Amino acid sequence: MAIFASYYKHIHLTMSIQQDKIAALVERRAKARLGGGQKRIDAQHEKGKLTARERLALLLDEGSFEEFDMFVQHRCTNFGMEKSHPDGDGVVTGQGTIGGRHVFVYAQDFTVSGGSLSKTMSEKICKVLDMAMRCGAPVIGLNDSGGARIQEGIDSLAGYGDIFERNILASGVVPQISGIFGPCAGGAVYSPALTDFTLMVKNTSYMFLTGPAVVKSVTGEDIDQEGLGGASVHASKSGVADFAAEDEQDGIETIKRLLSYIPQNNMETAPFRPTSDPLNRMDDLLNEIIPDNPNKAYDMYEVIRTIVDDGDFFEVHKDFAKNIIVGFAHFGGRGVGIVANQPKVLAGVLDINASRKAARFVRFCDAFNIPLVTLVDVPGFLPGTQQEYGAVITNGAKLLYAYGEATVPKVTVTLRKAYGGAHIVMSCKQLRGDINYAWPTAQIAVMGADGAVNVLYGKEIKAEADPARQAEVRAEKKAEYEELFNNPYQAAQKGYIEDVIEPRNTRFRVIRALESLQGKRQELPAKKHDNLPL
Ligand code: HXC
C-alpha cells in the first residue's frame, strides 16, 4: 500500500509541475501579446491606429493565425537595452489564411521600441520570407516602425540589408504586399519599394527618405509629414503607393481584395472566379460610345465595366497617371490584368508616369501568369521639354520592353486611335501580341490626319494665295488621308490585326481569345537576366 501511496504522490506532483509550466506558458504568451504594454497600446489607439495583432486579426481568417518566434528577444546590451527583453521584440510574424488561402505575414509592433528594427526582428521577418518562398505563398508585411533600432547601430542596418535581399529573391516567385500603417522612413522605405504592391493609410502613415526637419535644413522647404510623404502624395504624385486607404480597416480590406485577384506563386494561375454573367453578353452601349469628333473624349471605365465579368474591376494605382488605367478583372471566370488608355485624361496620351505605371503592372502580370487584356486609344507620346528631360524615351521603353518580353496570353483591342510609337508600345502584333482586334472606329496609323497633312502638304497648302482655297486643299488632303489610313483595314489587310470586331461583341471575343490561349507556351532566349531600361 505504501508503495502505491508514494506512486500516486509522485504522479500528482508531476502533474502539478506540468500544470504550473502550462500556466506559465499561458501567462507568458498573454504578456507577449501585450507587446510594449497596455499604456503603449492605449497610446496607439489614441493616435487612431490599431496594434499589430489587431491588424493581423482583421487580415487573417478567424482562428487561422499561427504565430512564429513569439519568444524571440533582442540581444542588444547598449543604452540600457539589457534591462528589458520583451518577448517577440517589435514584430509579430507567422502564417495563416485569407479566404482559405495560405499566406505568411509580419506586422511591426509600434508598442515595442516604436517598432524599430532590431537584428532579431529582421531575423523573424527573414524567416517568414524564406518560408513563403519555400511554400509558394504570398507575403504580407504591415509596416509601422521608427526605422533602424538606434541602440543596435550597424546590426540593425544589416537586418535591413537581409530583408531587402529576401525581398529581391522573392520578387517574381511569390507576391509580396506591403501595407504602411504608420511611420516608414529612411532606408526602411526600400523594403516596400521592392515588393509588388504598396498600400498606405491616409493621415496615419508616411514614407520618406528624410523627414520634414532635414528637408527644411537642406532645402529650406517648409513641409509637414503628410505633405512630404503621406498616402495621398505617394498615391497621386510619386506613384510609390499603389493604394491609399481611407483608414486601417479599408486598408486591410483592400489588401484582401487584391489578394483575391492574384495567384499564390509564379507556378500557379490566378484563382478562377465562377460567374453567372453570360459569356456572350452584348452591350449596345459599346456601339455608340465613340464620339463622331475624334477630339472628343469618352470614359474608358465604361468600356471596362461593360465587358468584364459582373462589371467588377479592381483598379491599381487609381490616382496616379490617370491617363492610363491598370487593374484586375475576370473574363468568363479567368483572372486578367487590364491595361487601358483613358481618353478622358490628357486624351489618353502616354507620358513618363503612364509608361512607368503600366510597365510595372505588365511585368507583375507576366511574372505571375496573369493574361493581359489591352484596350487601346492612344494619340501618341506627350511632347515637350519636361518629358524629354525627364527621360520619356527610357520610360516609354520600359512599357515597350515589358510588353515585348511578356509571355502570358496577350489580347489587344484597339478602340480608336493607335498612332505612331504609341501604337507599337500598346501590345501590338509585333511585340508578340497573340490576338489583336480592332473596332471599326480604329485609326491605326503613323499619326492623325491633321499632323500628317501638315507634314506632307504644308508647303503646298501655304503656296495657295487664297485662304479659302487653302482650307479647301487641306480638307481634300485630310479626307484622302482619313480614307486611306484612319481606319483599321490597312492593319487588317496586312495581318497586323486578327479581325475587325463589332464593339458590342467585345466581351465574347475577348473571352474566346483568352480561352484559346489557355495552353500558350512561349519561352525567352536563355540569359542571366534582361537589361530592362531603368
Ligand atoms: C529605437 C525608437 C526608435 C528607433 C522610436 N523609438 N524610434 N527606439 N530606435 N529608431 C522608440 C521611442 O524611443 C519610444 O520609446 C517609442 O519608440 C515610441 O516613439 P515616440 O517618439 O514616443 O513616438 P511618436 O511620437 O509617435 O514618434 C514616432 C517617430 C519617432 C516619428 C517614429 O519616434 C522618431 O522620429 N523616431 C526616430 C526615427 C529615426 O530617425 N529612425 C532612424 C531612421 S534611419 P518609449 O520607450 O518611450 O516608448 C533608418 C536607416 C535604415 O531607419 C537604413 C536601412 C538601409
Side-chain angles (χ1 to χ4, degrees):
M1 278 308 274
I3 290 173
F4 281 118
S6 150
Y7 176 76
Y8 282 119
K9 198 176 159 200
H10 172 74
I11 294 271
H12 178 71
L13 197 65
T14 311
M15 283 184 66
S16 69
I17 287 172
Q18 191 178 6
Q19 297 303 319
D20 282 353
K21 289 195 171 182
I22 291 169
L25 170 68
V26 170
E27 197 183 326
R28 192 163 168 180
R29 279 193 192 284
K31 192 163 174 228
R33 287 197 185 100
L34 284 178
Q38 195 57 49
K39 239 173 90 181
R40 288 191 180 88
I41 292 174
D42 293 343
Q44 180 85 342
H45 288 158
E46 274 157 30
K47 287 183 205 154
K49 291 162 68 182
L50 298 174
T51 64
R53 285 172 194 284
E54 287 164 347
R55 288 168 185 155
L56 290 178
L58 282 176
L59 180 68
L60 299 169
D61 295 339
E62 205 179 335
S64 73
F65 182 48
E66 185 191 9
E67 186 166 349
F68 299 146
D69 294 335
M70 188 188 229
F71 305 117
V72 160
Q73 299 180 347
H74 72 75
R75 300 186 288 267
C76 180
T77 52
N78 304 320
F79 299 104
M81 288 296 283
E82 68 282 0
K83 291 184 203 136
S84 161
H85 288 96
D87 274 341
D89 208 356
V91 68
V92 183
T93 62
Q95 62 181 343
T97 60
I98 296 178
R101 288 172 57 187
H102 187 201
V103 294
F104 287 87
V105 290
Y106 67 87
Q108 291 169 331
D109 183 353
F110 193 83
T111 68
V112 179
S113 292
S116 59
L117 192 100
S118 66
K119 187 68 170 68
T120 43
M121 259 177 79
S122 75
E123 287 163 4
K124 287 179 66 170
I125 293 171
C126 286
K127 186 188 272 187
V128 291
L129 283 162
D130 288 340
M131 288 184 75
M133 269 200 282
R134 282 204 300 278
C135 301
V139 191
I140 298 156
L142 305 181
N143 296 259
D144 185 2
S145 163
R149 174 93 44 96
I150 295 164
Q151 298 91 329
E152 294 209 8
I154 188 71
D155 273 345
S156 166
L157 297 187
Y160 274 116
D162 288 337
I163 295 170
F164 298 164
E165 181 63 23
R166 299 306 193 289
N167 290 141
I168 294 162
L169 294 177
S171 182
V173 179
V174 292
Q176 300 180 80
I177 301 170
S178 299
I180 315 298
F181 284 73
C184 183
V189 296
Y190 284 115
S191 177
L194 291 167
T195 62
D196 297 301
F197 297 100
T198 298
L199 173 141
M200 294 183 72
V201 178
K202 286 183 190 168
N203 303 316
T204 52
S205 76
Y206 55 83
M207 294 176 82
F208 39 65
L209 279 172
T210 50
V214 177
V215 171
K216 172 83 178 154
S217 69
V218 175
T219 70
E221 274 175 288
D222 260 319
I223 187 98
D224 61 12
Q225 288 181 346
E226 190 65 19
L228 183 63
S232 302
V233 165
H234 284 310
S236 65
K237 288 190 197 313
S238 70
V240 165
D242 300 276
F243 305 97
E246 292 304 320
D247 53 34
E248 295 204 15
Q249 302 254 359
D250 180 36
I252 298 281
E253 287 310 314
T254 304
I255 291 173
K256 288 193 205 181
R257 192 152 177 237
L258 167 62
L259 193 74
S260 74
Y261 290 89
I262 62 182
Q264 287 293 93
N265 56 57
N266 63 345
M267 307 294 280
E268 294 187 12
T269 53
F272 187 86
R273 186 183 294 178
T275 178
S276 54
D277 195 351
L279 305 186
N280 58 357
R281 174 174 52 77
M282 293 203 190
D283 202 316
D284 289 335
L285 168 91
L286 299 179
N287 276 11
E288 292 157 16
I289 199 164
I290 303 288
D292 290 341
N293 181 348
N295 297 323
K296 270 208 163 151
Y298 59 96
D299 191 352
M300 188 60 90
Y301 287 116
E302 277 195 64
V303 177
I304 295 171
R305 293 199 190 101
T306 303
I307 60 177
V308 300
D309 288 358
D310 309 301
D312 178 58
F313 177 57
F314 180 69
E315 191 171 4
V316 176
H317 254 149
K318 178 161 69 79
D319 299 318
F320 178 69
K322 293 177 173 186
N323 39 333
I324 203 155
I325 300 168
V326 302
F328 300 105
H330 292 84
F331 277 101
R334 282 198 190 88
V336 301
I338 291 183
V339 180
N341 308 112
Q342 169 59 297
K344 264 185 95 173
V345 180
L346 290 171
V349 77
L350 283 176
D351 58 5
I352 293 169
N353 287 345
S355 304
R356 283 203 295 131
K357 165 176 162 177
R360 182 132 175 90
F361 184 75
V362 167
R363 281 170 69 81
F364 175 82
C365 290
D366 188 47
F368 290 101
N369 311 312
I370 300 171
L372 287 160
V373 173
T374 304
L375 304 175
V376 184
D377 188 345
V378 62
F381 275 94
L382 185 64
T385 49
Q386 219 193 356
Q387 289 292 307
E388 296 292 353
Y389 296 174
V392 69
I393 296 173
T394 314
N395 285 288
K398 284 178 189 162
L399 182 54
L400 180 65
Y401 202 108
Y403 268 123
E405 75 172 347
T407 56
V408 288
K410 291 185 280 192
V411 177
T412 307
V413 184
T414 300
L415 282 60
R416 188 168 62 170
K417 298 169 193 168
Y419 295 157
H423 156 65
I424 296 296
V425 167
M426 293 298 295
S427 198
C428 72
K429 197 81 211 153
Q430 292 69 32
L431 296 182
R432 304 195 297 181
D434 292 299
I435 297 190
N436 291 50
Y437 296 128
W439 285 6
T441 41
Q443 306 168 10
I444 305 175
V446 174
M447 59 176 74
D450 283 321
V453 168
N454 276 342
V455 174
L456 296 178
Y457 301 106
K459 283 187 201 134
E460 195 180 315
I461 292 169
K462 254 193 186 160
E464 296 286 348
D466 177 10
R469 180 63 195 142
Q470 279 189 0
E472 222 174 84
V473 177
R474 179 176 292 282
E476 271 168 29
K477 296 297 179 193
K478 230 179 114 177
E480 193 186 331
Y481 183 88
E482 276 169 358
E483 170 80 17
L484 198 59
F485 288 132
N486 268 10
N487 58 62
Y489 296 105
Q490 276 261 330
Q493 278 161 22
K494 298 186 163 128
Y496 296 152
I497 55 174
E498 272 56 53
D499 202 2
V500 181
I501 64 172
E502 201 179 332
R504 65 183 182 146
N505 205 17
T506 303
R507 170 175 164 77
F508 171 69
R509 297 300 293 260
V510 171
I511 289 174
R512 197 170 64 179
L514 289 168
E515 200 175 306
S516 70
L517 291 165
Q518 252 200 79
K520 180 184 175 188
R521 294 282 174 270
Q522 194 166 43
E523 300 289 324
L524 292 169
K527 53 179 102 173
K528 183 177 176 192
H529 61 70
D530 58 38
N531 189 14
L532 173 79
L534 293 173

